[in-house]
Amino acid sequence: MKISKALFAINARAYLLITSAKVVHMKSAIRFSSQVSAAIAAGKPVVALESTIISHGLPRPSNLAVALECEEIVLSHGAVPATIALLDGIVHVGLEQAELEAIANRDDISKASIRDLAIIVASGKSAATTVAATAHIAAVAGIKVFATGGLGGVHRGAQDSFDESADLTALSQLDMTVVCAGVKSILDVHATLERLETLAIGLVGYRTNRFPGFYLTDSGFELEHRVENAKEIAAIIKARTSIGTQFKSLVVANPVHKEMNRELHDQILASGLAKADLEGINGKAVTPFLLEYFHTASKGESLSINTEIIKSNCALAAEIAVALL
Ligand code: PSU
Ligand code: MN
């Protein structure tokens, strides 16, 4: 019953792709929390939240506290939070408190991008979802707005390693609006912006003309488009549908209010990149390694900024979801 209600909200393309056999499979693989399923059925605003940030982006025990706070912020701004994660082979859209605790504290939570989803489901394992995987599941569930911290992107040295986050290609194929604070300077920011352009992913600055650099309000790159409020963003989302570009996501770059000390930032960045190189960190371990390094080396300063960023993105995402009604 819950699922059939949710299926009404599935976007047109996803619906076409789902044969009746696949719907039967989805019923067993995707579980909506009672709060999320009620919100979808009633047409209330819902905001998707990712879980890799909880399991692999923030240290314990603040990860759980931040995750709970994020849910509260979305609620207080008039939308329903749908944190997305896989637990014991089930894709959850909306987590109950005990499930959120499991994602924050269990040691068997891997990091799943889109290609990992079916493998984790079939093997009955558990994983947190990246921006790519969260956006995919959210789109299948008919959720239009998603809040995260920073987007994945093109890694430094990608011309040799080919290390580009699947977040980018995922967002080039999904009807999703992602609120983030830009990308971290652990990445090649310029190359990431170029790839966003090539992949036709929409990009607007929220009350800024500069692309934010996560801990820093300005990554050094200019943005062509600027918006001032959630209503303007909702108008862009609706315009995408009317001209057929809705399956290219929209990234809303929301800069942090109070940035990190730039000297400290640059120093930690340089030593973190050098350590990752020295230790031969590669593949999907690179991002969590550098995030952890930042938190430890800044003695908590990056953590408090990170927390502020996520909270602010959750508030804006909820405002957008409300404005879309
Ligand atoms: N960037 C951040 N914080 C994060 C991530 C990226 O500032 O927590 C996480 C997100 O879940 C993102 C993922 O989708 O890392 C990208 O990882 P990769 O580069 O392995 O695709
Ligand atoms: Mn990678």
Side-chain angles (χ1 to χ4, degrees):
M1 184 60 186
K2 281 172 191 165
I3 298 295
S4 62
K5 280 182 187 164
L7 284 175
F8 279 115
I10 286 179
N11 62 53
R13 190 164 99 167
Y15 187 75
L16 285 175
L17 289 172
I18 293 165
T19 63
S20 52
K22 282 178 184 156
V23 172
V24 170
H25 177 68
M26 273 182 56
K27 275 187 186 173
S28 58
I30 300 191
R31 185 178 299 163
F32 292 76
S33 70
S34 49
Q35 197 182 30
V36 170
S37 109
I40 292 176
K44 288 193 181 147
V46 179
V47 171
L49 302 172
E50 68 141 313
S51 46
T52 291
I53 208 167
I54 307 171
S55 299
H56 304 283
L58 296 167
R60 295 173 192 161
S62 29
N63 58 348
L64 178 61
V66 173
L68 290 168
E69 239 182 306
C70 284
E71 302 226 335
E72 280 307 315
I73 287 169
V74 171
L75 281 172
S76 72
H77 285 77
V80 170
T83 304
I84 292 175
L86 290 94
L87 278 170
D88 307 312
I90 303 285
V91 178
H92 289 260
V93 180
L95 296 178
E96 309 296 348
Q97 167 124 5
E99 294 161 347
L100 210 48
E101 283 174 18
I103 287 296
N105 294 326
R106 264 167 54 171
D107 290 325
D108 65 334
I109 310 293
S110 65
K111 170 181 161 186
S113 193
I114 294 179
R115 69 173 188 161
D116 307 304
L117 290 171
I119 300 170
I120 305 281
V121 166
S123 63
K125 290 186 176 160
S126 303
T129 47
T130 62
V131 168
T134 308
H136 174 84
I137 299 293
V140 168
I143 299 170
K144 300 271 183 217
V145 187
F146 168 19
T148 184
L151 214 60
V154 181
H155 283 262
R156 291 162 184 251
Q159 65 272 30
D160 298 317
S161 67
F162 280 66
D163 191 352
E164 173 182 333
S165 177
D167 290 357
L168 298 186
T169 42
L171 295 182
S172 72
Q173 297 167 356
L174 295 169
D175 181 357
M176 189 55 56
T177 294
V178 185
V179 181
C180 66
V183 299
K184 284 205 177 81
S185 43
I186 59 174
L187 299 175
D188 183 334
V189 180
H190 189 200
T192 302
L193 285 167
E194 290 295 338
R195 288 293 288 154
L196 285 169
E197 182 186 350
T198 304
L199 294 165
I201 296 166
L203 177 60
V204 294
Y206 182 72
R207 298 180 179 166
T208 183
N209 295 98
R210 310 292 298 175
F211 187 59
F214 197 85
Y215 296 123
L216 307 175
T217 53
D218 178 358
S219 66
F221 296 92
E222 188 154 355
L223 284 173
E224 188 176 349
H225 305 292
R226 170 187 176 126
V227 288
E228 301 300 330
N229 55 54
K231 226 174 121 193
E232 277 179 51
I233 300 166
I236 296 169
I237 295 169
K238 288 178 181 163
R240 282 156 70 240
T241 305
S242 68
I243 42 117
T245 56
Q246 70 272 34
F247 292 110
K248 304 288 177 191
S249 295
L250 176 68
V251 171
V252 177
N254 181 26
V256 65
H257 295 299
K258 190 178 171 299
E259 70 176 8
M260 192 170 173
N261 177 297
R262 279 193 176 245
E263 215 173 300
L264 178 68
H265 170 274
D266 293 351
Q267 197 187 317
I268 295 175
L269 176 64
S271 53
L273 290 169
K275 190 161 190 267
D277 194 36
L278 195 71
E279 295 186 17
I281 308 292
N282 59 44
K284 67 203 248 183
V286 173
T287 302
F289 176 88
L290 290 169
L291 298 184
E292 155 83 30
Y293 185 85
F294 248 90
H295 293 319
T296 313
S298 73
K299 299 191 178 69
E301 180 171 346
S302 73
L303 178 59
S304 67
I305 295 175
N306 208 335
T307 306
E308 285 314 306
I309 285 170
I310 303 166
K311 284 160 54 175
S312 158
N313 292 347
C314 286
L316 179 55
E319 283 177 29
I320 297 167
V322 170
L324 265 178
L325 288 189

